[in-house]
Amino acid sequence: MPESGQSTQGHISDAGPASDPSPPAAPPAPPGPSAPVAPVAVGAGAARRAGLVVTLVLGGLTALPPLSMDMYLPALPAVTDSLHAPAATVQLTLTACLAGMALGQLVVGPMSDKWGRRGPLLAGMLVYVVATAICAFAPTVDMLIAFRLLQGLAGAAGIVIARAMVRDLYDGVEMARFFSTLMLISGVAPVIAPLIGGQVLRITDWRGIFVVLTGVGVLLTLVVVKWLGETLPVEKRHSGGVVEALRTMRGLLADRVFTGYVLTGGLAFAALFAYISASPFVVQEIYGASPQTFSLLFGINSVGLIAVGQINGKLLVGRVSLDKALGLGLAVIALAATALLLLTSGVFGEVGLVPVAAGLFVLMSAMGLAMPNTNALALMRTPHAAGSASALIGTSSFLIGAIASPLVGIAGEGTAMPMAVVQTACATGAVACFVLLCRPWRGRAEAV
């Protein structure tokens, strides 16, 4: 049976019956004096059309950063030759973009709580377009690194504000469903981005990839101007500057359950990062698969993640509690990581690619339960500061993932065990945070 509850209007306390809030009768129309262009939907047909447009736009915004990272991957050797730079220095162009995406969320999230979602989003998109265009013409690797950092900082606006807009528009199980739908869109980006980058390199050089990304940024900016309205009314915005923003974030982190969901999601995401960092080497170098086989397996795993995300949104959410769905996902991730550790450590002797690939598929697919539900459960506690909360969720995921990723190669090139060790440690940490900090068995009633 669908769960019942009420809309979140303040901090959530650890008392009362366990339930997730029920969805509102209809998503609130984007209010505010700067509300744009998309008219307030009237009638079921108009509501469906407006909802589809918002879904596609927010999905595009969350897909832009993965496109910015992964389209560029096939071009790294070409950049090394073109700019006469060491490979290690060129790798910093990836690090700079990732660091920008992590830190930019801490800046843009509180800005969106103060000035609304639409203005900071458009500013971020404009800076993204300019920075990406400059990357296309960068004469030196140092300039490329600097503007990749700026590109990441600006691109973070799309991630953090899209998540905050979902919190503005939806609550409870409807929010979890919407995050699962976003995963369908944004989850495709890492799969197709390297393929698009490879095709672009067939007709032009590495600079052409940044030209394409500039065009994508311009198109998304125009779509935001045309179709995406303001979702945070003036009366719900926060006044104050940096000090107020830091105070708000400190208050959010003081909420044990919110922090528990943030750490749970960040550690689960780190297990995913470990897979992304290590899988090309593990599949191709250790188990001898061809690049085509690796691409096929990577695509299958991504499809598994997307499919389970849709099962979560369409079948589980509203029938079981979000905490139960999240707990199931974490349990499967932990079991899959443990199985991979046993397989790669030689407990069962020499194993081939098939059982390892199966373990990775199960682990990746279970992310479709963990990721949307941790986002929803964390944001359900923070209607008063969705932008700052979204920033903390995103930044923690990127930073924990960035710390975990280099550890997968710590034991050299002859074993896949470090990947499995990192994944098992992250999965175990995620389960521990969920149990010890979120304490899902204790019902949480909302204070209105």
Side-chain angles (χ1 to χ4, degrees):
M1 293 292 292
E3 301 163 80
S4 60
Q6 56 193 10
S7 296
T8 318
Q9 297 296 333
H11 284 292
I12 307 173
S13 60
D14 283 351
S19 67
D20 291 323
S22 63
S34 58
V37 258
V40 176
V42 179
R48 282 193 297 271
R49 289 192 297 272
L52 177 61
V53 169
V54 170
T55 301
L56 293 175
V57 176
L58 296 183
L61 291 172
T62 56
L64 185 59
L67 283 175
S68 302
M69 288 289 294
D70 297 343
M71 271 185 68
Y72 178 65
L73 293 178
L76 286 177
V79 176
T80 301
D81 295 337
S82 173
L83 298 181
H84 309 290
T89 304
V90 173
Q91 286 284 349
L92 290 177
T93 62
L94 293 175
T95 304
C97 188
L98 183 62
M101 289 179 190
L103 298 176
Q105 296 185 61
L106 288 177
V107 176
V108 179
M111 286 173 58
S112 73
D113 283 337
K114 180 178 180 181
W115 292 309
R117 314 299 185 206
R118 185 173 159 82
L121 175 59
L122 287 173
M125 293 302 299
L126 290 173
V127 174
Y128 174 89
V129 168
V130 172
T132 307
I134 293 175
C135 286
F137 299 100
T140 66
V141 70
D142 292 336
M143 180 177 285
L144 183 60
I145 291 171
F147 281 94
R148 282 284 278 175
L149 175 64
L150 183 60
Q151 183 192 41
L153 287 167
I159 307 174
V160 69
I161 292 180
R163 203 159 38 222
M165 282 183 157
V166 174
R167 182 62 189 93
D168 294 338
L169 293 170
Y170 299 96
D171 200 1
V173 295
E174 284 302 311
M175 181 166 51
R177 287 194 181 105
F178 198 94
F179 277 126
S180 294
T181 303
L182 282 187
M183 184 174 290
L184 175 63
I185 301 171
S186 60
V188 174
V191 181
I192 65 172
L195 301 177
I196 296 173
Q199 294 306 309
V200 171
L201 289 175
R202 292 172 64 92
I203 59 176
T204 183
D205 61 6
W206 64 271
R207 298 181 187 274
I209 291 177
F210 288 107
V211 172
V212 172
L213 286 171
T214 301
V216 172
V218 170
L219 179 61
L220 262 178
T221 303
L222 294 176
V223 169
V224 168
V225 170
K226 176 68 176 175
W227 295 108
L228 196 59
E230 180 59 70
T231 60
L232 185 66
V234 174
E235 62 271 16
K236 292 188 177 180
R237 298 178 191 177
H238 291 193
S239 59
V242 176
V243 174
E244 178 65 25
L246 293 175
R247 187 179 296 115
T248 299
M249 288 187 176
R250 184 179 65 185
L252 292 173
L253 292 174
D255 176 3
R256 169 182 50 78
V257 179
F258 171 78
T259 301
Y261 286 126
V262 169
L263 292 176
T264 298
L267 287 165
F269 194 63
L272 175 62
F273 256 56
Y275 159 77
I276 293 172
S277 299
S279 61
F281 169 75
V282 168
V283 173
Q284 295 179 80
E285 299 298 326
I286 295 179
Y287 291 102
S290 66
Q292 292 73 26
T293 300
F294 165 72
S295 298
L296 176 63
L297 292 176
F298 193 92
I300 290 173
N301 290 343
S302 299
V303 169
L305 185 152
I306 295 169
V308 173
Q310 296 315 293
I311 292 172
N312 176 70
K314 305 296 184 185
L315 298 180
L316 297 182
V317 170
R319 291 178 172 83
V320 300
S321 74
L322 301 185
D323 276 316
K324 287 180 180 178
L326 172 57
L328 174 61
L330 293 174
V332 174
I333 291 170
L335 289 173
T338 303
L340 284 167
L341 181 59
L342 294 175
L343 289 170
T344 57
S345 64
V347 170
F348 301 111
E350 292 294 327
V351 297
L353 176 61
V354 172
V356 173
L360 290 172
F361 173 78
V362 173
L363 185 146
M364 277 284 287
S365 298
M367 293 291 174
L369 289 175
M371 293 166 64
N373 290 323
T374 49
N375 284 340
L377 285 162
L379 288 170
M380 279 162 55
R381 301 183 66 84
T382 60
H384 56 291
S388 296
S390 177
L392 290 172
I393 294 168
T395 300
S396 64
S397 295
F398 275 99
L399 290 181
I400 297 173
I403 292 170
S405 293
L407 299 178
V408 298
I410 200 169
E413 302 180 356
T415 174
M417 189 174 172
M419 176 192 72
V421 168
V422 171
Q423 290 175 327
T424 303
C426 290
T428 303
V431 172
C433 289
F434 180 58
V435 172
L436 298 177
L437 296 178
C438 303
R439 301 177 187 175
W441 64 88
R442 296 182 61 178
R444 288 185 287 275
E446 300 170 62
V448 236

